[in-house]
Amino acid sequence: DYPIQIDRYPHASTEANPSQLSGVIMGRLVAAQRTCSRLDLFQDAVAGIFTHAFRRGYSRRMVHGVWTKFLLRYWDAAGISTRELRAWFH
């Protein structure tokens, strides 16, 4: 019940620094990994995250960098390599 609208993704032209913008995407990726029980659902969630980020003006380079950092830090599913996941979005 806030009197103002709260956006999940701040616009890239705001006063937020790049690490804050990256943190928004990273948080959404971690949440998607924890809540999606199947790989196809996770892929759809990641595509939605990236689509929203691009609509809000995030650079492709920054989004790709966050995706790479996410795979290095948080991806731990056995049987699915990070190489395969990197090929999803390039």
Side-chain angles (χ1 to χ4, degrees):
D1 294 340
Y2 291 104
I4 59 171
Q5 179 181 352
I6 298 176
D7 291 321
R8 185 176 290 171
Y9 299 87
H11 198 276
S13 64
T14 62
E15 296 297 320
N17 64 38
S19 65
Q20 290 173 318
L21 298 175
S22 299
V24 170
I25 298 172
M26 184 67 77
R28 300 303 305 152
L29 290 171
V30 170
Q33 179 188 26
R34 292 181 180 171
T35 59
C36 295
S37 59
R38 294 190 338 239
L39 189 61
D40 60 330
L41 297 175
F42 178 65
Q43 186 174 15
D44 289 344
V46 171
I49 292 166
F50 289 175
T51 300
H52 281 58
F54 290 135
R55 285 184 189 157
R56 300 294 289 166
Y58 291 51
S59 73
R60 184 173 182 84
R61 181 179 178 178
M62 185 189 67
V63 172
H64 186 267
V66 174
W67 177 239
T68 302
K69 286 179 188 175
F70 167 78
L71 293 176
L72 293 173
R73 291 182 188 170
Y74 297 103
W75 188 254
D76 60 356
I80 302 165
S81 69
T82 56
R83 174 178 271 174
E84 178 184 347
L85 296 177
R86 280 192 195 121
W88 282 0
F89 309 102
H90 40 178

